[in-house]
Amino acid sequence: KYPDTKFVIIDAAPVEGEGKEPEIKENVLSIFYAEEQAGYLAGYAAVEEGYRQLGFMGGIAVPAVIRFGYGFVQGADAAAKDLGLAQGDINIKYTYVGNFDASPENQAKAAAWYSEGTECIFACGGGVGNSVMKAAEGAGKKVIGVDVDQRSKIGERCLTSAMKGLPSAINNALDSYFSGNFSELGGTAQQLGLKDGDYIGLPTDSESWGFTTFTQDQYETVLAGIRDGSIEISSDTENQPEVGSHVTVDYIS
């Protein structure tokens, strides 16, 4: 409808109707992320920090949310192996609440998990994170944020955040537009991860580094492994991740 207007779309591609395949026109750039890498880093760091009873509370089971969660499970399992933990030492409650709302129901679900022994929940679902944060405050437990650095805004109740490099990708797209080179990106879908640049990570500045056991040197080692491919992370959203015997996952419908 507006062929002379340029569009940059995050986490989506244009679709003309339900069930149709995406169609990306030349004036459109769609940007996606390797969320499984961010989830992996968060899960790995949480276990290395000493947490053994974890939770993943996603909003709606769309591909980005699924990738975050499955990466989280894989990262926790990898850390358990590296630490030489025994079978079943790590337990993860895992669910999608079916919405992206900050609601009493979501807060109550998170509070119930905390009361049952969950120490840290990865909240991945917009307003769902607000509900989990309130539950964490009431229980004196931890939450892991998503997409952007939430610890710097929320405080120490937030252990860390599984971040996507939104500013970097958007600035690159704007640079291409203002330099007259948008045609090189238009009509494509980018899938950005650590092999493409610093598009995935945990916050590392002093205000946002919430770890006392897991070190930044360890973090950089894991980053390097993901970049060079020596650490393989499945991005399959159709099948639950195959993990070793170190992690027990309770998938809750």
Side-chain angles (χ1 to χ4, degrees), residues 68-128:
F68 269 124
Y70 285 4
F72 185 69
V73 171
Q74 293 173 75
D77 185 63
K81 291 176 183 176
D82 288 349
L83 289 169
L85 299 183
Q87 179 178 355
D89 274 356
I90 307 297
N91 294 284
I92 302 177
K93 291 185 186 321
Y94 192 111
T95 197
Y96 304 103
V97 299
N99 58 70
F100 292 120
D101 302 333
S103 69
E105 292 79 12
N106 290 338
Q107 183 177 340
K109 183 186 289 288
W113 283 14
Y114 284 131
S115 69
E116 293 165 0
T118 299
E119 301 166 304
C120 181
I121 297 175
F122 180 18
C124 186
V128 175

Side-chain angles (χ1 to χ4, degrees), residues 106-166:
N106 290 338
Q107 183 177 340
K109 183 186 289 288
W113 283 14
Y114 284 131
S115 69
E116 293 165 0
T118 299
E119 301 166 304
C120 181
I121 297 175
F122 180 18
C124 186
V128 175
N130 296 333
S131 298
V132 177
M133 176 54 63
K134 289 182 179 179
E137 289 174 349
K141 301 293 182 67
K142 294 285 190 178
V143 64
I144 293 173
V146 72
D147 286 343
V148 298
D149 176 14
Q150 293 180 308
R151 181 180 169 88
S152 63
K153 299 175 177 62
I154 294 171
E156 64 180 18
R157 191 60 57 200
C158 182
L159 177 65
T160 189
S161 298
M163 299 193 308
K164 301 191 292 193
L166 302 172

Side-chain angles (χ1 to χ4, degrees), residues 19 44 73 169 176 213 238:
Y44 190 96
V73 171
S176 71
T213 301
E238 299 296 326

Side-chain angles (χ1 to χ4, degrees), residues 7-253:
F7 296 86
V8 179
I9 307 179
I10 305 295
D11 289 341
V15 178
E16 295 227 358
E18 187 174 351
K20 299 288 186 67
E21 290 296 318
E23 184 176 0
I24 305 175
K25 300 291 188 179
E26 292 182 356
N27 60 328
V28 175
L29 168 63
S30 286
I31 299 175
F32 296 89
Y33 290 86
E35 288 93 355
E36 70 279 1
Q37 295 177 2
Y40 182 100
L41 289 167
Y44 190 96
V47 171
E48 285 280 352
E49 183 65 11
Y51 294 97
R52 300 292 180 263
Q53 304 298 320
L54 301 172
F56 173 81
M57 193 168 286
I60 298 173
V62 295
V65 175
I66 296 172
R67 286 194 293 268
F68 269 124
Y70 285 4
F72 185 69
V73 171
Q74 293 173 75
D77 185 63
K81 291 176 183 176
D82 288 349
L83 289 169
L85 299 183
Q87 179 178 355
D89 274 356
I90 307 297
N91 294 284
I92 302 177
K93 291 185 186 321
Y94 192 111
T95 197
Y96 304 103
V97 299
N99 58 70
F100 292 120
D101 302 333
S103 69
E105 292 79 12
N106 290 338
Q107 183 177 340
K109 183 186 289 288
W113 283 14
Y114 284 131
S115 69
E116 293 165 0
T118 299
E119 301 166 304
C120 181
I121 297 175
F122 180 18
C124 186
V128 175
N130 296 333
S131 298
V132 177
M133 176 54 63
K134 289 182 179 179
E137 289 174 349
K141 301 293 182 67
K142 294 285 190 178
V143 64
I144 293 173
V146 72
D147 286 343
V148 298
D149 176 14
Q150 293 180 308
R151 181 180 169 88
S152 63
K153 299 175 177 62
I154 294 171
E156 64 180 18
R157 191 60 57 200
C158 182
L159 177 65
T160 189
S161 298
M163 299 193 308
K164 301 191 292 193
L166 302 172
S168 298
I170 293 168
N171 285 336
N172 289 343
L174 292 174
D175 285 345
S176 71
Y177 169 76
F178 285 112
S179 63
N181 296 317
F182 191 86
S183 60
E184 297 176 4
L185 299 177
T188 68
Q190 296 181 335
Q191 185 85 28
L192 300 177
L194 284 167
K195 292 183 179 179
D196 307 294
D198 295 326
Y199 292 110
I200 296 293
L202 306 179
T204 57
D205 62 81
S206 58
E207 289 186 1
S208 301
W209 187 258
F211 305 104
T212 57
T213 301
F214 182 59
T215 69
Q216 292 203 22
D217 285 343
Q218 289 176 295
Y219 171 67
E220 292 295 337
T221 298
V222 179
L223 282 183
I226 298 173
R227 282 197 179 99
D228 66 23
S230 59
I231 294 176
E232 297 182 2
I233 308 169
S234 173
S235 60
D236 182 2
T237 59
E238 299 296 326
N239 301 288
Q240 294 173 355
E242 294 183 7
V243 296
S245 59
H246 297 79
V247 172
T248 300
V249 184
D250 181 12
Y251 291 102
I252 301 168
S253 60

